[in-house]
PDB file of all heavy atoms in Angstrom:
ATOM      1  N   GLY A   1      -3.374  33.368 -56.152  1.00 95.00           N
ATOM      2  CA  GLY A   1      -3.633  33.648 -57.561  1.00 95.00           C
ATOM      3  C   GLY A   1      -2.687  32.933 -58.500  1.00 95.00           C
ATOM      4  O   GLY A   1      -2.380  33.420 -59.584  1.00 95.00           O
ATOM      5  N   ILE A   2      -2.218  31.755 -58.092  1.00 96.00           N
ATOM      6  CA  ILE A   2      -1.298  30.964 -58.906  1.00 96.00           C
ATOM      7  C   ILE A   2      -2.092  29.876 -59.618  1.00 96.00           C
ATOM      8  O   ILE A   2      -2.745  29.060 -58.959  1.00 96.00           O
ATOM      9  CB  ILE A   2      -0.188  30.339 -58.039  1.00 96.00           C
ATOM     10  CG1 ILE A   2       0.656  31.448 -57.407  1.00 96.00           C
ATOM     11  CG2 ILE A   2       0.692  29.397 -58.861  1.00 96.00           C
ATOM     12  CD1 ILE A   2       1.655  30.941 -56.371  1.00 96.00           C
ATOM     13  N   PRO A   3      -2.077  29.832 -60.953  1.00 97.00           N
ATOM     14  CA  PRO A   3      -2.870  28.818 -61.670  1.00 97.00           C
ATOM     15  C   PRO A   3      -2.293  27.423 -61.500  1.00 97.00           C
ATOM     16  O   PRO A   3      -1.093  27.211 -61.686  1.00 97.00           O
ATOM     17  CB  PRO A   3      -2.791  29.280 -63.129  1.00 97.00           C
ATOM     18  CG  PRO A   3      -1.501  30.044 -63.219  1.00 97.00           C
ATOM     19  CD  PRO A   3      -1.339  30.717 -61.873  1.00 97.00           C
ATOM     20  N   VAL A   4      -3.155  26.493 -61.137  1.00 98.00           N
ATOM     21  CA  VAL A   4      -2.769  25.077 -61.036  1.00 98.00           C
ATOM     22  C   VAL A   4      -3.851  24.237 -61.731  1.00 98.00           C
ATOM     23  O   VAL A   4      -4.531  23.430 -61.086  1.00 98.00           O
ATOM     24  CB  VAL A   4      -2.547  24.634 -59.572  1.00 98.00           C
ATOM     25  CG1 VAL A   4      -1.243  25.167 -59.018  1.00 98.00           C
ATOM     26  CG2 VAL A   4      -3.717  25.069 -58.679  1.00 98.00           C
ATOM     27  N   PRO A   5      -4.025  24.398 -63.032  1.00 98.00           N
ATOM     28  CA  PRO A   5      -5.136  23.738 -63.721  1.00 98.00           C
ATOM     29  C   PRO A   5      -5.091  22.219 -63.661  1.00 98.00           C
ATOM     30  O   PRO A   5      -6.131  21.573 -63.526  1.00 98.00           O
ATOM     31  CB  PRO A   5      -5.012  24.243 -65.159  1.00 98.00           C
ATOM     32  CG  PRO A   5      -3.583  24.682 -65.304  1.00 98.00           C
ATOM     33  CD  PRO A   5      -3.222  25.217 -63.954  1.00 98.00           C
ATOM     34  N   ALA A   6      -3.907  21.628 -63.749  1.00 98.00           N
ATOM     35  CA  ALA A   6      -3.821  20.164 -63.755  1.00 98.00           C
ATOM     36  C   ALA A   6      -4.023  19.594 -62.357  1.00 98.00           C
ATOM     37  O   ALA A   6      -4.747  18.614 -62.168  1.00 98.00           O
ATOM     38  CB  ALA A   6      -2.485  19.712 -64.338  1.00 98.00           C
ATOM     39  N   MET A   7      -3.376  20.195 -61.352  1.00 98.00           N
ATOM     40  CA  MET A   7      -3.554  19.708 -59.984  1.00 98.00           C
ATOM     41  C   MET A   7      -5.015  19.812 -59.542  1.00 98.00           C
ATOM     42  O   MET A   7      -5.555  18.900 -58.904  1.00 98.00           O
ATOM     43  CB  MET A   7      -2.688  20.506 -59.014  1.00 98.00           C
ATOM     44  CG  MET A   7      -1.223  20.131 -59.006  1.00 98.00           C
ATOM     45  SD  MET A   7      -0.351  21.057 -57.726  1.00 98.00           S
ATOM     46  CE  MET A   7       1.348  20.490 -58.035  1.00 98.00           C
ATOM     47  N   SER A   8      -5.649  20.948 -59.856  1.00 98.00           N
ATOM     48  CA  SER A   8      -7.029  21.136 -59.416  1.00 98.00           C
ATOM     49  C   SER A   8      -7.991  20.274 -60.224  1.00 98.00           C
ATOM     50  O   SER A   8      -8.984  19.766 -59.681  1.00 98.00           O
ATOM     51  CB  SER A   8      -7.421  22.614 -59.501  1.00 98.00           C
ATOM     52  OG  SER A   8      -7.219  23.133 -60.799  1.00 98.00           O
ATOM     53  N   ALA A   9      -7.704  20.069 -61.520  1.00 98.00           N
ATOM     54  CA  ALA A   9      -8.543  19.166 -62.313  1.00 98.00           C
ATOM     55  C   ALA A   9      -8.460  17.748 -61.762  1.00 98.00           C
ATOM     56  O   ALA A   9      -9.458  17.017 -61.741  1.00 98.00           O
ATOM     57  CB  ALA A   9      -8.108  19.192 -63.775  1.00 98.00           C
ATOM     58  N   ALA A  10      -7.275  17.353 -61.322  1.00 98.00           N
ATOM     59  CA  ALA A  10      -7.105  16.013 -60.754  1.00 98.00           C
ATOM     60  C   ALA A  10      -7.931  15.861 -59.485  1.00 98.00           C
ATOM     61  O   ALA A  10      -8.598  14.836 -59.272  1.00 98.00           O
ATOM     62  CB  ALA A  10      -5.632  15.757 -60.461  1.00 98.00           C
ATOM     63  N   LEU A  11      -7.911  16.884 -58.626  1.00 98.00           N
ATOM     64  CA  LEU A  11      -8.672  16.805 -57.383  1.00 98.00           C
ATOM     65  C   LEU A  11     -10.179  16.812 -57.659  1.00 98.00           C
ATOM     66  O   LEU A  11     -10.936  16.063 -57.034  1.00 98.00           O
ATOM     67  CB  LEU A  11      -8.307  17.969 -56.465  1.00 98.00           C
ATOM     68  CG  LEU A  11      -9.006  17.988 -55.102  1.00 98.00           C
ATOM     69  CD1 LEU A  11      -8.748  16.699 -54.327  1.00 98.00           C
ATOM     70  CD2 LEU A  11      -8.569  19.200 -54.286  1.00 98.00           C
ATOM     71  N   SER A  12     -10.615  17.622 -58.615  1.00 98.00           N
ATOM     72  CA  SER A  12     -12.036  17.644 -58.966  1.00 98.00           C
ATOM     73  C   SER A  12     -12.482  16.291 -59.518  1.00 98.00           C
ATOM     74  O   SER A  12     -13.574  15.808 -59.205  1.00 98.00           O
ATOM     75  CB  SER A  12     -12.317  18.749 -59.990  1.00 98.00           C
ATOM     76  OG  SER A  12     -12.159  20.021 -59.413  1.00 98.00           O
ATOM     77  N   PHE A  13     -11.633  15.677 -60.323  1.00 98.00           N
ATOM     78  CA  PHE A  13     -11.960  14.348 -60.841  1.00 98.00           C
ATOM     79  C   PHE A  13     -12.054  13.339 -59.704  1.00 98.00           C
ATOM     80  O   PHE A  13     -12.995  12.533 -59.647  1.00 98.00           O
ATOM     81  CB  PHE A  13     -10.909  13.900 -61.852  1.00 98.00           C
ATOM     82  CG  PHE A  13     -11.090  12.482 -62.320  1.00 98.00           C
ATOM     83  CD1 PHE A  13     -11.998  12.177 -63.318  1.00 98.00           C
ATOM     84  CD2 PHE A  13     -10.371  11.446 -61.742  1.00 98.00           C
ATOM     85  CE1 PHE A  13     -12.194  10.861 -63.728  1.00 98.00           C
ATOM     86  CE2 PHE A  13     -10.551  10.132 -62.146  1.00 98.00           C
ATOM     87  CZ  PHE A  13     -11.465   9.850 -63.148  1.00 98.00           C
ATOM     88  N   TYR A  14     -11.085  13.386 -58.798  1.00 98.00           N
ATOM     89  CA  TYR A  14     -11.084  12.467 -57.660  1.00 98.00           C
ATOM     90  C   TYR A  14     -12.364  12.632 -56.832  1.00 98.00           C
ATOM     91  O   TYR A  14     -13.036  11.645 -56.489  1.00 98.00           O
ATOM     92  CB  TYR A  14      -9.853  12.724 -56.784  1.00 98.00           C
ATOM     93  CG  TYR A  14      -9.823  11.924 -55.505  1.00 98.00           C
ATOM     94  CD1 TYR A  14      -9.455  10.587 -55.506  1.00 98.00           C
ATOM     95  CD2 TYR A  14     -10.166  12.517 -54.291  1.00 98.00           C
ATOM     96  CE1 TYR A  14      -9.437   9.848 -54.327  1.00 98.00           C
ATOM     97  CE2 TYR A  14     -10.148  11.791 -53.113  1.00 98.00           C
ATOM     98  CZ  TYR A  14      -9.790  10.455 -53.135  1.00 98.00           C
ATOM     99  OH  TYR A  14      -9.775   9.730 -51.965  1.00 98.00           O
ATOM    100  N   ASP A  15     -12.709  13.886 -56.541  1.00 98.00           N
ATOM    101  CA  ASP A  15     -13.913  14.120 -55.743  1.00 98.00           C
ATOM    102  C   ASP A  15     -15.169  13.705 -56.512  1.00 98.00           C
ATOM    103  O   ASP A  15     -16.137  13.222 -55.909  1.00 98.00           O
ATOM    104  CB  ASP A  15     -13.998  15.599 -55.348  1.00 98.00           C
ATOM    105  CG  ASP A  15     -13.045  15.952 -54.206  1.00 98.00           C
ATOM    106  OD1 ASP A  15     -12.631  15.029 -53.473  1.00 98.00           O
ATOM    107  OD2 ASP A  15     -12.707  17.140 -54.054  1.00 98.00           O
ATOM    108  N   GLY A  16     -15.174  13.892 -57.820  1.00 97.00           N
ATOM    109  CA  GLY A  16     -16.318  13.451 -58.610  1.00 97.00           C
ATOM    110  C   GLY A  16     -16.427  11.947 -58.678  1.00 97.00           C
ATOM    111  O   GLY A  16     -17.516  11.377 -58.542  1.00 97.00           O
ATOM    112  N   TYR A  17     -15.287  11.274 -58.858  1.00 97.00           N
ATOM    113  CA  TYR A  17     -15.295   9.814 -58.991  1.00 97.00           C
ATOM    114  C   TYR A  17     -15.719   9.129 -57.700  1.00 97.00           C
ATOM    115  O   TYR A  17     -16.373   8.075 -57.727  1.00 97.00           O
ATOM    116  CB  TYR A  17     -13.906   9.332 -59.421  1.00 97.00           C
ATOM    117  CG  TYR A  17     -13.864   7.877 -59.835  1.00 97.00           C
ATOM    118  CD1 TYR A  17     -14.295   7.484 -61.095  1.00 97.00           C
ATOM    119  CD2 TYR A  17     -13.394   6.904 -58.958  1.00 97.00           C
ATOM    120  CE1 TYR A  17     -14.257   6.146 -61.483  1.00 97.00           C
ATOM    121  CE2 TYR A  17     -13.345   5.572 -59.334  1.00 97.00           C
ATOM    122  CZ  TYR A  17     -13.780   5.195 -60.593  1.00 97.00           C
ATOM    123  OH  TYR A  17     -13.747   3.867 -60.971  1.00 97.00           O
ATOM    124  N   ARG A  18     -15.375   9.745 -56.575  1.00 97.00           N
ATOM    125  CA  ARG A  18     -15.711   9.122 -55.285  1.00 97.00           C
ATOM    126  C   ARG A  18     -17.104   9.528 -54.797  1.00 97.00           C
ATOM    127  O   ARG A  18     -17.524   9.124 -53.702  1.00 97.00           O
ATOM    128  CB  ARG A  18     -14.674   9.481 -54.225  1.00 97.00           C
ATOM    129  CG  ARG A  18     -14.703  10.926 -53.811  1.00 97.00           C
ATOM    130  CD  ARG A  18     -13.709  11.263 -52.703  1.00 97.00           C
ATOM    131  NE  ARG A  18     -13.873  12.646 -52.280  1.00 97.00           N
ATOM    132  CZ  ARG A  18     -14.798  13.045 -51.417  1.00 97.00           C
ATOM    133  NH1 ARG A  18     -15.618  12.177 -50.872  1.00 97.00           N
ATOM    134  NH2 ARG A  18     -14.897  14.326 -51.098  1.00 97.00           N
ATOM    135  N   SER A  19     -17.833  10.344 -55.583  1.00 96.00           N
ATOM    136  CA  SER A  19     -19.158  10.812 -55.165  1.00 96.00           C
ATOM    137  C   SER A  19     -20.247   9.865 -55.657  1.00 96.00           C
ATOM    138  O   SER A  19     -20.386   9.644 -56.870  1.00 96.00           O
ATOM    139  CB  SER A  19     -19.424  12.220 -55.708  1.00 96.00           C
ATOM    140  OG  SER A  19     -18.515  13.156 -55.168  1.00 96.00           O
ATOM    141  N   ALA A  20     -21.042   9.343 -54.729  1.00 95.00           N
ATOM    142  CA  ALA A  20     -22.165   8.498 -55.124  1.00 95.00           C
ATOM    143  C   ALA A  20     -23.267   9.316 -55.789  1.00 95.00           C
ATOM    144  O   ALA A  20     -24.052   8.790 -56.582  1.00 95.00           O
ATOM    145  CB  ALA A  20     -22.724   7.772 -53.899  1.00 95.00           C
ATOM    146  N   SER A  21     -23.317  10.614 -55.478  1.00 95.00           N
ATOM    147  CA  SER A  21     -24.320  11.498 -56.079  1.00 95.00           C
ATOM    148  C   SER A  21     -23.636  12.734 -56.639  1.00 95.00           C
ATOM    149  O   SER A  21     -22.787  13.344 -55.973  1.00 95.00           O
ATOM    150  CB  SER A  21     -25.363  11.925 -55.042  1.00 95.00           C
ATOM    151  OG  SER A  21     -26.102  10.811 -54.570  1.00 95.00           O
ATOM    152  N   LEU A  22     -24.026  13.104 -57.858  1.00 95.00           N
ATOM    153  CA  LEU A  22     -23.531  14.312 -58.516  1.00 95.00           C
ATOM    154  C   LEU A  22     -24.726  15.140 -58.977  1.00 95.00           C
ATOM    155  O   LEU A  22     -25.838  14.612 -59.119  1.00 95.00           O
ATOM    156  CB  LEU A  22     -22.635  13.944 -59.701  1.00 95.00           C
ATOM    157  CG  LEU A  22     -21.281  13.315 -59.379  1.00 95.00           C
ATOM    158  CD1 LEU A  22     -20.600  12.811 -60.643  1.00 95.00           C
ATOM    159  CD2 LEU A  22     -20.375  14.313 -58.652  1.00 95.00           C
ATOM    160  N   PRO A  23     -24.550  16.422 -59.255  1.00 96.00           N
ATOM    161  CA  PRO A  23     -25.679  17.272 -59.638  1.00 96.00           C
ATOM    162  C   PRO A  23     -26.162  17.074 -61.067  1.00 96.00           C
ATOM    163  O   PRO A  23     -26.882  17.920 -61.599  1.00 96.00           O
ATOM    164  CB  PRO A  23     -25.128  18.691 -59.438  1.00 96.00           C
ATOM    165  CG  PRO A  23     -23.663  18.551 -59.658  1.00 96.00           C
ATOM    166  CD  PRO A  23     -23.306  17.209 -59.078  1.00 96.00           C
ATOM    167  N   ALA A  24     -25.810  15.957 -61.681  1.00 95.00           N
ATOM    168  CA  ALA A  24     -26.271  15.687 -63.042  1.00 95.00           C
ATOM    169  C   ALA A  24     -27.778  15.464 -63.103  1.00 95.00           C
ATOM    170  O   ALA A  24     -28.369  15.508 -64.190  1.00 95.00           O
ATOM    171  CB  ALA A  24     -25.540  14.478 -63.625  1.00 95.00           C
ATOM    172  N   ASN A  25     -28.416  15.235 -61.944  1.00 95.00           N
ATOM    173  CA  ASN A  25     -29.878  15.130 -61.951  1.00 95.00           C
ATOM    174  C   ASN A  25     -30.502  16.449 -62.400  1.00 95.00           C
ATOM    175  O   ASN A  25     -31.465  16.465 -63.184  1.00 95.00           O
ATOM    176  CB  ASN A  25     -30.403  14.707 -60.573  1.00 95.00           C
ATOM    177  CG  ASN A  25     -29.954  15.625 -59.450  1.00 95.00           C
ATOM    178  OD1 ASN A  25     -28.926  16.292 -59.556  1.00 95.00           O
ATOM    179  ND2 ASN A  25     -30.711  15.666 -58.358  1.00 95.00           N
ATOM    180  N   LEU A  26     -29.950  17.580 -61.933  1.00 95.00           N
ATOM    181  CA  LEU A  26     -30.441  18.883 -62.370  1.00 95.00           C
ATOM    182  C   LEU A  26     -30.158  19.103 -63.854  1.00 95.00           C
ATOM    183  O   LEU A  26     -30.996  19.634 -64.595  1.00 95.00           O
ATOM    184  CB  LEU A  26     -29.808  19.994 -61.532  1.00 95.00           C
ATOM    185  CG  LEU A  26     -30.166  21.432 -61.934  1.00 95.00           C
ATOM    186  CD1 LEU A  26     -31.675  21.649 -61.900  1.00 95.00           C
ATOM    187  CD2 LEU A  26     -29.447  22.434 -61.032  1.00 95.00           C
ATOM    188  N   LEU A  27     -28.978  18.658 -64.278  1.00 96.00           N
ATOM    189  CA  LEU A  27     -28.626  18.789 -65.695  1.00 96.00           C
ATOM    190  C   LEU A  27     -29.635  18.045 -66.577  1.00 96.00           C
ATOM    191  O   LEU A  27     -30.084  18.541 -67.612  1.00 96.00           O
ATOM    192  CB  LEU A  27     -27.207  18.267 -65.914  1.00 96.00           C
ATOM    193  CG  LEU A  27     -26.547  18.531 -67.260  1.00 96.00           C
ATOM    194  CD1 LEU A  27     -25.043  18.661 -67.086  1.00 96.00           C
ATOM    195  CD2 LEU A  27     -26.845  17.429 -68.261  1.00 96.00           C
ATOM    196  N   GLN A  28     -29.998  16.829 -66.152  1.00 95.00           N
ATOM    197  CA  GLN A  28     -30.968  16.048 -66.910  1.00 95.00           C
ATOM    198  C   GLN A  28     -32.343  16.711 -66.925  1.00 95.00           C
ATOM    199  O   GLN A  28     -33.058  16.679 -67.932  1.00 95.00           O
ATOM    200  CB  GLN A  28     -31.068  14.629 -66.343  1.00 95.00           C
ATOM    201  CG  GLN A  28     -29.904  13.725 -66.705  1.00 95.00           C
ATOM    202  CD  GLN A  28     -29.763  13.543 -68.202  1.00 95.00           C
ATOM    203  OE1 GLN A  28     -29.013  14.256 -68.866  1.00 95.00           O
ATOM    204  NE2 GLN A  28     -30.520  12.593 -68.759  1.00 95.00           N
ATOM    205  N   ALA A  29     -32.715  17.326 -65.784  1.00 96.00           N
ATOM    206  CA  ALA A  29     -33.982  18.052 -65.743  1.00 96.00           C
ATOM    207  C   ALA A  29     -33.957  19.236 -66.706  1.00 96.00           C
ATOM    208  O   ALA A  29     -34.947  19.508 -67.411  1.00 96.00           O
ATOM    209  CB  ALA A  29     -34.264  18.524 -64.320  1.00 96.00           C
ATOM    210  N   GLN A  30     -32.840  19.946 -66.759  1.00 96.00           N
ATOM    211  CA  GLN A  30     -32.706  21.068 -67.693  1.00 96.00           C
ATOM    212  C   GLN A  30     -32.837  20.597 -69.140  1.00 96.00           C
ATOM    213  O   GLN A  30     -33.539  21.219 -69.956  1.00 96.00           O
ATOM    214  CB  GLN A  30     -31.353  21.761 -67.481  1.00 96.00           C
ATOM    215  CG  GLN A  30     -31.227  22.488 -66.148  1.00 96.00           C
ATOM    216  CD  GLN A  30     -29.797  22.923 -65.872  1.00 96.00           C
ATOM    217  OE1 GLN A  30     -28.839  22.311 -66.365  1.00 96.00           O
ATOM    218  NE2 GLN A  30     -29.647  23.970 -65.067  1.00 96.00           N
ATOM    219  N   ARG A  31     -32.167  19.488 -69.461  1.00 95.00           N
ATOM    220  CA  ARG A  31     -32.233  18.957 -70.826  1.00 95.00           C
ATOM    221  C   ARG A  31     -33.661  18.549 -71.188  1.00 95.00           C
ATOM    222  O   ARG A  31     -34.126  18.764 -72.306  1.00 95.00           O
ATOM    223  CB  ARG A  31     -31.284  17.752 -70.974  1.00 95.00           C
ATOM    224  CG  ARG A  31     -29.816  18.100 -70.833  1.00 95.00           C
ATOM    225  CD  ARG A  31     -28.927  16.859 -70.982  1.00 95.00           C
ATOM    226  NE  ARG A  31     -28.925  16.372 -72.349  1.00 95.00           N
ATOM    227  CZ  ARG A  31     -29.373  15.186 -72.730  1.00 95.00           C
ATOM    228  NH1 ARG A  31     -29.897  14.350 -71.833  1.00 95.00           N
ATOM    229  NH2 ARG A  31     -29.325  14.822 -73.991  1.00 95.00           N
ATOM    230  N   ASP A  32     -34.336  17.971 -70.218  1.00 95.00           N
ATOM    231  CA  ASP A  32     -35.711  17.550 -70.488  1.00 95.00           C
ATOM    232  C   ASP A  32     -36.638  18.755 -70.627  1.00 95.00           C
ATOM    233  O   ASP A  32     -37.560  18.748 -71.449  1.00 95.00           O
ATOM    234  CB  ASP A  32     -36.191  16.640 -69.356  1.00 95.00           C
ATOM    235  CG  ASP A  32     -37.524  15.975 -69.683  1.00 95.00           C
ATOM    236  OD1 ASP A  32     -37.613  15.339 -70.755  1.00 95.00           O
ATOM    237  OD2 ASP A  32     -38.454  16.092 -68.877  1.00 95.00           O
TER     238      ASP A  32
END
């Protein structure tokens, strides 16, 4: 229960940047 907002944001960014596919396809479907 120890907050690490910067460390975890960095890891999430890293995992997002290295992902060839992200769930933004669903986001685009929702917007449409």
Side-chain angles (χ1 to χ4, degrees):
I2 297 172
V4 285
M7 282 185 184
S8 55
L11 182 57
S12 291
F13 174 82
Y14 174 78
D15 283 339
Y17 191 79
R18 69 177 185 82
S19 296
S21 296
L22 291 171
N25 56 335
L26 176 57
L27 191 149
Q28 284 300 94
Q30 292 169 333
R31 294 180 70 243
D32 190 54

